[in-house]
Amino acid sequence: MDRKQFYREVTGFLTKVSAENGTPGSGTEALATDIGEDSNLFDLGLINSFTVIRMIVFIEDLTGAQIDLAEHDLETFYTLRGLYTVANGADQ
Amino acid sequence: MTAPTVADRDAQLRRRFDGLGCAQLADAAGEFVTPLRLDLRPRNGRPRLCGPLFPVVTADDMLPCLQALASAPAGSVLFLHNTTTPSEALAGDIFVTSAAVQGLAGIIVNGAVRDLADLRDIDVPVFSTEVTFVSARTTATRSETVPAVVDIGGATLRPGDWIFADEDGFLVVEQHRVSAAITAAAVLRQREDGLKEAIRDTGRTLADLTDLTGFLNGEADLGFVP
């Protein structure tokens, strides 16, 4: 999966999660459609410690492979760019 | 670069769990976590373990236990489920010594163990629900199912699914979600640590962080999410 498509998939997922969780600010739906690839998804309120599992499972299901913990710092899971790296690792 | 083996991956997962606990797993990955509610106690001073399950069922008969010990892969957690109560001791110093040499990650006995003084020197966590000096001596009925699926304590223990234990309790995670659950728990732990540091450094209290006063006055929502 190329980077653009991956970002689109994850952004769609984040939009859905934000809407379900009623993320504070209520602007998150609009925000999720325009996330910078290095934006911190936690700081934006798009994901939190209790919903990050859903994002990880989403990526695992998307790639069909479990993520390889040894390859990544935890901060990798905070940005779209990092998540793409994770997905590529899981893809291999 | 060669692809990591299952043993490499399991070792990575174990290392990650070293800095975590069942609390973080339950908080971060609740929908993939099943608590195991049995009155299990650590019997040799090692209250933590994790690894893929290798369960077997017996009725005070050592033969299934010996079969399971012989078959359990290194790194796995042997779970001996005795259907007879009260239980005779299914594991003692010799059994656990062999488990250590075979590289097992732990032994959990829903039943009795013995030789507690000797078990203290063996670096394999041992848990049980009972203790007795009476050894199970029967070796009459071989198990046709090693490993087995065991339904107990509100959980289904399937071979290969991971069990985690620490001072707070036991929980089980299906094997295909272990990596995700541990990663999420690690992220949660990291952010919790950041919050604790912020509390220490700034002097802000939990009441401040949760806006407890605002909530009590009906002016704000309660809580923060790390």
Side-chain angles (χ1 to χ4, degrees):
Chain A
M1 181 182 299
D2 69 29
R3 188 179 292 269
K4 219 173 223 178
Q5 188 187 350
F6 178 81
Y7 286 177
R8 205 163 39 241
E9 295 277 356
V10 174
T11 298
F13 168 77
L14 291 171
T15 301
K16 184 166 159 262
V17 170
S18 298
E20 285 173 9
N21 291 330
T23 307
S26 72
T28 48
E29 276 191 50
L31 192 57
T33 61
D34 190 27
I35 308 168
E37 62 182 352
D38 293 315
S39 300
N40 186 314
L41 303 174
F42 282 81
D43 290 347
L44 292 176
L46 293 168
I47 207 82
N48 62 47
S49 301
F50 301 127
T51 55
V52 70
I53 181 73
R54 294 179 59 190
M55 188 175 67
I56 294 167
V57 167
F58 176 78
I59 292 170
E60 287 193 342
D61 290 346
L62 200 62
T63 59
Q66 291 194 49
I67 57 166
D68 184 352
L69 287 179
E71 297 291 319
H72 311 291
D73 292 331
L74 292 176
E75 285 76 8
T76 311
F77 295 87
Y78 288 20
T79 65
L80 282 179
R81 187 196 298 273
L83 292 172
Y84 183 69
T85 309
V86 171
N88 273 349
D91 242 339
Q92 289 163 1
Chain B
M1 194 167 72
T2 54
T5 64
V6 171
D8 291 339
R9 181 182 154 275
D10 287 359
Q12 289 163 14
L13 294 171
R14 263 189 209 94
R15 278 195 296 275
R16 283 283 188 189
F17 183 63
D18 280 347
L20 303 172
C22 289
Q24 283 79 39
L25 281 167
D27 281 352
E31 63 188 294
F32 301 109
V33 158
T34 306
L36 176 63
R37 302 189 193 283
L38 289 175
D39 189 19
L40 290 160
R41 312 275 175 89
R43 300 301 182 185
N44 62 347
R46 292 165 175 79
R48 290 176 60 89
L49 65 69
C50 71
L53 277 160
F54 198 89
V56 69
V57 181
T58 186
D60 258 350
D61 191 319
M62 277 307 295
L63 192 51
C65 305
L66 293 169
Q67 289 177 260
L69 180 63
S71 312
S76 60
V77 175
L78 191 58
F79 189 99
L80 308 178
H81 171 46
N82 196 354
T83 58
T84 302
T85 53
S87 171
E88 294 176 346
L90 298 179
D93 56 350
I94 297 171
F95 192 95
V96 178
T97 297
S98 182
V101 169
Q102 295 171 230
L104 298 197
I107 297 176
I108 302 172
V109 182
N110 183 34
V113 298
R114 70 174 198 173
D115 304 322
L116 299 197
D118 295 314
L119 296 189
R120 279 198 289 269
D121 296 329
I122 306 173
D123 193 20
V124 173
V126 176
F127 298 81
S128 74
T129 54
E130 300 174 48
V131 175
T132 179
F133 50 78
V134 180
S135 175
R137 293 185 174 278
T138 307
T139 50
T141 308
R142 77 162 60 203
S143 173
E144 301 299 336
T145 316
V146 179
V149 176
V150 175
D151 282 307
I152 192 159
T156 299
L157 309 181
R158 294 183 187 83
D161 286 352
W162 275 56
I163 189 160
F164 297 85
D166 66 9
E167 292 85 342
D168 292 340
F170 289 75
L171 56 82
V172 179
V173 179
E174 288 183 28
Q175 56 182 316
H176 71 291
R177 291 304 184 204
V178 169
S179 183
I182 288 190
T183 303
V187 169
L188 171 67
R189 183 57 181 252
Q190 186 184 53
R191 297 188 69 82
E192 284 179 340
D193 287 347
L195 274 173
K196 284 185 282 189
E197 198 177 313
I199 291 172
R200 281 193 299 265
D201 291 351
T202 66
R204 295 183 72 202
T205 65
L206 188 58
D208 296 333
L209 289 168
T210 56
D211 196 5
L212 180 62
T213 304
F215 176 73
L216 292 173
N217 291 334
E219 298 163 352
D221 291 333
L222 179 66
F224 66 87
V225 178

